[in-house]
């Protein structure tokens, strides 16, 4: 069911995020520790912000541990904001257009989890997407539909509110079709300036999500650690599972909450889906 | 804009259809003679009927001229009914789920042409598909949507009528959105027993389509031709462009018509889209 | 480090071998039980004999658990002799030309294991290959080199002797370069009539290998088992690990031995590498 | 038979080289003007120098005109030295390890042309490669062998001399096997500081090769051309065929010559293969 990471801070060589850590995302693609499946070999994607108007996205169906082009890019690209994802498909085909992150303008979106009984609810979700946005849907994942619902509900203006409405619509739709626990998710989205991460599931037993603690705090704890001395004060990571085992470096994101990371600050608020006014 | 072929007759080694002819489909993938684009390297697909309940389908995004697995299969598989297609994308991504033939139960479907302004009309077409069938849509091509509209309108019971309704709906939808010539097509579909091929376009200038003449007629004309002596009397081919240049072997399928091939018999009837009663 | 199976017997639908068993090869591609690595997602290959002069080979770098084309072929192709392999690379690139089985004329060849320190010994092995055969080498695996050494030493005339010489040459070369345990292998090869499987390693701790016992014996043991009633009397399987857990159905192939399967008979003999006369 | 380009000058967005020109390399992949084949869809590769020790390389077997990842990278990566290549295979398999550019340390290498009768001469060429370098050979192209021969003969110390010896060895080997015209080539190689391009063929009828003239000269000719005003004074391109049709912008590289580009200077000298002392 996927693993992902979202970095923001001083520009960093992508390799530091994707390959160097002991439990890096590439290691997790072969043997993750905490995921629903240990192997996440159904594709890989990375998005990064640079000097262009929109972020770059590299997506591939090659399992990440094999992908030479990924290793090449990671060894060359330096960026202040990187989203990366390894996929374990929950049913939809393995193809580039079904890999995360998904992009719309300057926005990127990734997800770990699923919309339950997608076959049953898919048409209803697709029909709710703003007709002006509908033609941009390229794949067949629940993730992409969720993204386009959030865009429909104003993601670009107020992400937490839009995601709350999107999740609320998915839950209302699912329940209308007799699905008990319609959604399971950790989601991350960013516009290149701020990053929002969400952890929520209908059943209240969400996939794992962690965020890194303040680097300067860690530096006091581990004054001799070279990695910490190199990291910028405003470096922040949100991850499906910790990239290493430095004690105190990672904090679990609580159930039903949203982490907002802006500059070097992060803020956690509770997250509740909004029940749509029209449930049909 | 693709090239395709449909064979029915005595079981034949796939290689005879795909590689042996002078202007075989694989040759056409690199340099077709009559297509809108000469190169058709955006994927390949072949469907064939054997002893299983449903036809087998092999689809690949490798350009056909390179594809070793295709050559291997073609050298091993013998079948009495084969549909094959080489793709030149009209915009949708190059991925396996966007390669023809598409399949539903025992039915296969292929297309050369396009639905004009797909971005504009796509949502309307998708919404018209029977909700019970909608979850089966895996790709983002106009071809697949057309197939599912035909299935919605009863393809399995009366193919010419269903295709007429589907094309009529596409034209009505297109015109409602200000599209002057909404559809361009040669289409072939089969259930493993009968094959129906259609040639139609809103503008009346359709992509090329040819069908082979009766083999025994040809044998009288060319008594020394070894290929002809090998072909079964009921062998029939419908093709985007002739596979070779034997004079008299190919006849153009007229504009606005449907060829029905059953056993060794073929019948050509005129084809007219049916205007839907509810045009909104 | 790969898993493989080799079937001979009455013609069987490939799906019965690749997908149906509880611990099928496709299941093993995601989670094998006994392999050096549990995931074998670095490619897949299957070879089968039919009516053509040479066997067909389908090889793909898609992980087997994802590969739709594989599932399609398996659901259509019936063959009396099938070799299939899932790959976990020991260093050489993941590409079609590095997938097993390898083919030469009517011969197929697969391997689980490795030639130690391949970088060091590769040139010596390549130079020992018959110059007339050398141009046929398409990849960069130790497996393919081992195959071409065996062909050089007369595989087509006397397989056990040729393989013994090839292994002997690899061990002599390795030791000359200071490699303590130059080779680790289970190998299977066939010409479409007879199948030979080998289990050997320099260290004497070879990868696992099992062969199926006589089906009629099993039928007496399990008179109600439907699978057994379907299998032909001469059906034989040699596998890296058992496909199911029916007690008594599988016997381990001993260290340093060669199994010869012809018709419904199998014979086990000891296998010893032949030290080449010229060790330089 | 491939098309390529080599750029050096002020850092430039890769997109300006690969997509913007009227007859860009991506346009040439579908329809080249001057190549031996018009379609070059057998793979793509690009190498670029950045802040890392070694250049990055992205290689893909997707035809360039389809490759979304390529478009993404091109839209993000800025580099002062870029080598790019589109492939039309002369026989060896289409796989990532057979795409150009090839890399060794800081060196990149690309080629348009062929070594005649490769099957016949391949073993001799492979045996001549320095045994210490041999294990690095990953593919099966004549291009890669030529590169490793040049490395064997001291490419890193004196490129023109090393390439002259490599070509001389290929010609001597070919003639020994009765090949009349053993080699056909345009080759480019760089170490990130200087770029050397060669045009030579045994028959004296080499594939096309052009180099751009001094930008400031062009600016005087075309004072209103925006592209020229943007290009840096030291910008230099060497290409298989012109990227656009600005008159006077391109000069043909003469037969049997070598262009050396360093800083903003280029120098053309004659190129003659060196006959090896030991011709057996």
């Amino acid at each position: 069911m996927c693993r992902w990471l979202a970095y923001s801070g001083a520009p960093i060589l992508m390799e530091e995020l994707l390959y160097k850590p002991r439990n890096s995302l590439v290691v997790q693609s072969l043997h993750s520790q905490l995921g629903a499946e240990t192997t996440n070999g159904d594709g890989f994607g990375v998005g990064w912000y640079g000097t262009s108007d929109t972020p770059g996205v590299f997506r591939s169906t090659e399992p990440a541990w094999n992908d030479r082009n990924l290793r090449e890019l990671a060894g060359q690209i330096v960026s202040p904001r990187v989203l990366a994802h390894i996929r374990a498909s929950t049913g939809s085909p393995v193809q580039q257009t079904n890999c995360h992150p998904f992009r719309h303008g300057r926005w990127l979106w990734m997800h770990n989890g699923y919309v339950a009984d997608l076959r049953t609810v898919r048409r209803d979700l697709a029909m709710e997407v703003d007709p002006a946005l509908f033609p941009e849907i390229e794949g067949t994942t629940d993730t992409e539909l969720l993204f386009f619902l959030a865009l429909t509900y104003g993601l670009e203006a107020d992400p937490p509110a839009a995601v709350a409405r999107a999740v609320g619509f998915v839950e209302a739709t699912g329940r209308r079709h007799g699905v008990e626990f319609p959604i399971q998710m950790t989601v991350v989205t960013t516009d290149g300036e701020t990053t929002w991460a969400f952890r929520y599931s209908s059943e209240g037993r969400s996939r794992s999500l962690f965020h890194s603690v303040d680097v300067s705090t860690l530096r006091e704890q581990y004054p001799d650690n070279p990695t910490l001395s190199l990291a910028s004060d405003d470096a922040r990571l949100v991850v499906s599972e910790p990239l290493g085992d430095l004690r105190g470096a990672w904090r679990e994101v609580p159930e039903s909450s949203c982490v907002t990371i802006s500059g070097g600050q992060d803020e956690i608020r509770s997250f509740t889906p909004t029940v749509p006014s029209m449930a049909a």
Side-chain angles (χ1 to χ4, degrees), chain A:
Chain A
M1 201 149 313
C2 318
R3 307 274 76 192
W4 56 259
L5 70 80
Y7 169 84
S8 59
I12 193 172
L13 186 65
M14 226 187 248
E15 196 177 80
E16 300 286 334
L17 297 170
L18 299 185
Y19 287 93
K20 291 283 177 69
R22 193 192 56 78
N23 187 38
S24 72
L25 208 64
V26 175
V27 168
Q28 292 175 43
S29 70
L30 198 53
H31 301 293
S32 73
Q33 310 281 338
L34 301 177
E37 302 80 29
T38 61
T39 300
N40 298 275
D42 297 338
F44 179 91
V46 58
W48 71 98
Y49 290 80
T51 48
S52 302
D53 294 336
T54 52
V57 174
F58 170 84
R59 300 189 293 180
S60 170
T61 57
E62 281 195 64
W65 67 83
N66 272 339
D67 197 326
R68 293 179 157 209
N69 285 329
L70 177 64
R71 189 176 276 280
E72 291 290 324
L73 298 191
Q76 300 286 332
I77 293 176
V78 172
S79 171
R81 192 169 302 257
V82 177
L83 261 60
H85 181 278
I86 52 181
R87 187 170 184 237
S89 170
T90 51
S92 48
V94 173
Q95 58 198 20
Q96 224 181 57
T97 51
N98 281 354
C99 292
H100 321 197
F102 295 92
R103 176 181 58 198
H104 176 79
R106 274 189 72 78
W107 291 80
L108 293 178
W109 174 280
M110 309 195 302
H111 171 222
N112 170 24
Y114 56 82
V115 168
D117 237 323
L118 184 64
R119 282 182 69 89
T120 306
V121 301
R122 186 176 156 205
R123 189 176 183 275
D124 289 354
L125 302 187
M127 293 306 115
E128 178 71 6
V129 170
D130 184 340
L133 289 170
F134 185 87
E136 290 191 42
I137 297 175
E138 285 200 309
T140 42
T141 60
D142 41 14
T143 300
E144 193 184 23
L145 268 181
L146 199 60
F147 181 34
F148 277 84
L149 284 173
L151 285 166
T152 298
Y153 293 134
L155 179 72
E156 293 165 288
D158 184 344
V163 175
R165 286 185 64 186
V167 174
F169 181 81
V170 169
E171 288 194 320
T173 303
R175 287 179 179 136
R176 193 168 64 250
H177 286 275
V179 180
E180 189 181 9
F181 300 119
I183 193 165
Q184 163 63 259
M185 75 184 217
T186 66
V187 156
V188 62
T189 187
T190 180
D191 61 356
E193 304 284 321
T194 307
T195 296
W196 296 266
F198 302 80
R199 187 181 185 213
Y200 175 82
S201 59
S202 312
E203 198 181 358
R205 298 171 56 180
S206 307
R207 299 282 183 255
S208 62
L209 193 63
F210 296 84
H211 67 107
S212 62
V213 302
D214 190 274
V215 171
S216 50
T217 309
L218 275 181
R219 261 196 229 110
E220 291 172 35
Q221 258 184 287
Y222 302 97
D224 302 317
N225 187 302
T227 308
L228 292 176
S229 61
L230 288 175
S232 62
D233 280 357
D234 63 349
R236 289 288 181 276
L237 274 160
V238 188
V239 292
S240 298
E241 59 186 73
L243 304 182
D245 40 15
L246 194 62
R247 282 215 308 143
W250 303 95
R251 283 216 191 100
E252 198 177 33
V253 174
E255 285 277 2
S256 304
S257 58
C258 167
V259 186
T260 305
I261 299 168
S262 191
Q265 302 306 314
D266 42 48
E267 190 185 314
I268 299 182
R269 289 192 178 173
S270 78
F271 172 82
T272 313
T274 308
V275 179
S277 34
M278 289 178 47

